[in-house]
Amino acid sequence: MGLEVSKKYNIDEVLEEMIWIPGGTFVMGSDDHYPEEAPKHPVKIDGFWISQTPVTNRQFARFVEETGHVTLAEKVPDARDYPGALPEMLRAGSLVFTPPATVAGRDISQWWQFKFGANWRKPLGDLSDIRDKLDHPVVHVAYCDACAYADWAGLDLPTEAEFEFAARGGLEDTEYAWGDELMPDGIAMANTWQGIFPTSSTKPAGHERTSLVRSFPANGYGAYDMIGNVWEWTSDYWSDRHSEPAPSPCCLPYNPRGGEAALSYDPQQPNIRIARRVIKGGSHLCAPNYCRRYRPAARHAEPEDTSTSHVGFRCVKRPSD
């Protein structure tokens, strides 16, 4: 594509751009919203560094330039992994949000389309590119792509607990990462859906999807876009609920690492044994009338092999690493 991607990767420069999260004990989860966020329970984590922003197209392009990495969305799916799939659908591509004119019910296929040729370079399909979005979060990255970038960078993906702790920005017992109002004084604090999802967006033309990183205020730790813009991969396997609270302070979960791969499979697709991971933070598609997951406690299941136009990632570095 001839993209202008800055100089070669330098771990010292990357660490200088990361921010230190001091660690500590916090109450994870929520009992007030979706059932998978419950029960809220105290956990303890060590301090770590986290990227100030999600990984951008510019940063991901540098990784691809240096390694030759080919993302999952750019590969033709293996029919053995998808029993029963129509042969004509086994082509390289990814899921793209496509706003419908009208909707009937909550069937997500009304606004999600698998587009052949859609990938991180072409986020809307074959006729799109990222030339004017180099500093937007990279999207259409599956879990393996995020891991490959993190390995190359000498970093890791955050656990669910690390992400949630960092997203809270030092605040406790607040609904949002910035307080208890979604839009204090009518001001948007994150890139979330404005209008009626999925048919009507009241954002200015050209701003309906991802936004330039750092377009919205940083949280209390100095991290940007931990809520909204794009969902972000964590390293934890999905579980339908959190663990029950520890019976006493001496027994708090310490640096929890999620559940088991076999327990993360989607029970609605018993023939497809693809592990699911926790994604956090919500995205530009989260809306009050549909998906109120623009909160630190919110969580969602994402199959490892799935890439979409609203999921990205960021990295962490732990002193123990």
Side-chain angles (χ1 to χ4, degrees):
M1 290 179 61
L3 295 175
E4 292 293 330
V5 297
S6 58
K7 56 188 176 183
K8 286 186 177 292
Y9 180 86
N10 183 299
I11 184 60
D12 293 328
E13 293 179 0
V14 170
L15 289 175
E16 287 178 3
E17 294 175 356
M18 300 182 87
I19 53 177
W20 174 250
I21 307 298
T25 299
F26 78 106
V27 177
M28 185 176 178
S30 171
D31 294 332
D32 300 326
H33 295 277
Y34 298 102
E36 68 271 11
E37 299 172 20
K40 62 181 183 181
H41 60 292
V43 302
K44 183 178 181 180
I45 59 172
D46 289 327
F48 58 96
W49 290 273
I50 193 166
S51 306
Q52 286 190 0
T53 73
V55 172
T56 64
N57 286 313
R58 187 186 304 276
Q59 293 168 322
F60 199 78
R62 186 195 310 169
F63 155 64
V64 170
E65 182 180 280
E66 292 192 18
T67 65
H69 180 80
V70 178
T71 62
L72 198 63
E74 297 172 277
K75 299 176 181 178
V76 176
D78 188 332
R80 292 172 296 183
D81 293 332
Y82 304 96
L86 298 174
E88 60 268 25
M89 293 301 295
L90 294 174
R91 294 169 55 186
S94 190
L95 287 166
V96 177
F97 171 72
T98 307
T102 60
V103 294
R106 297 174 69 87
D107 180 0
I108 65 172
S109 66
Q110 297 174 95
W111 53 85
W112 282 108
Q113 294 183 11
F114 187 85
K115 288 197 175 183
F116 303 133
N119 56 58
W120 75 273
R121 302 173 189 270
K122 301 175 180 181
L124 300 182
D126 285 334
L127 298 180
S128 61
D129 64 48
I130 56 169
R131 293 177 190 275
D132 61 344
K133 293 180 172 61
L134 287 179
D135 294 312
H136 286 227
V138 65
V139 292
H140 296 299
V141 283
Y143 181 74
C144 62
D145 303 316
C147 288
Y149 178 97
D151 287 345
W152 165 78
L155 304 173
D156 202 352
L157 297 183
T159 65
E160 179 178 4
E162 287 170 338
F163 190 100
E164 183 167 333
F165 185 80
R168 291 180 180 275
L171 297 181
E172 295 185 22
D173 298 323
T174 60
E175 189 85 346
Y176 306 104
W178 48 84
D180 288 316
E181 292 184 60
L182 176 60
M183 296 182 66
D185 298 322
I187 298 173
M189 302 297 288
N191 180 5
T192 60
W193 187 275
Q194 296 176 35
I196 304 299
F197 183 88
T199 56
S200 173
S201 172
T202 58
K203 293 181 182 179
H207 294 266
E208 301 92 346
R209 297 181 183 266
T210 60
S211 55
L212 189 74
V213 296
R214 297 186 177 88
S215 293
F216 294 85
N219 71 8
Y221 289 134
Y224 293 87
D225 292 320
M226 296 211 69
I227 299 298
N229 212 353
V230 293
W231 282 99
E232 299 185 34
W233 288 106
T234 75
S235 60
D236 283 13
Y237 288 112
W238 172 258
S239 58
D240 290 337
R241 285 176 60 84
H242 285 307
S243 301
E244 292 297 322
S248 64
C250 69
C251 308
L252 296 184
Y254 180 51
N255 291 330
R257 293 291 190 269
E260 301 176 27
L263 298 179
S264 74
Y265 299 148
D266 188 348
Q268 297 183 2
Q269 300 185 76
N271 294 328
I272 298 179
R273 313 300 278 175
I274 303 252
R276 294 183 294 170
R277 302 276 177 166
V278 177
I279 55 175
K280 294 283 284 184
S283 80
H284 57 277
L285 301 183
C286 287
N289 73 301
Y290 177 71
C291 172
R292 301 183 304 279
R293 292 186 171 91
Y294 30 59
R295 297 169 290 103
R299 57 201 299 266
H300 196 58
E302 189 80 350
E304 291 181 341
D305 69 330
T306 299
S307 61
T308 74
S309 59
H310 75 330
V311 174
F313 69 101
R314 78 178 70 209
C315 297
V316 299
K317 180 76 172 177
R318 305 180 187 94
S320 59
D321 297 338

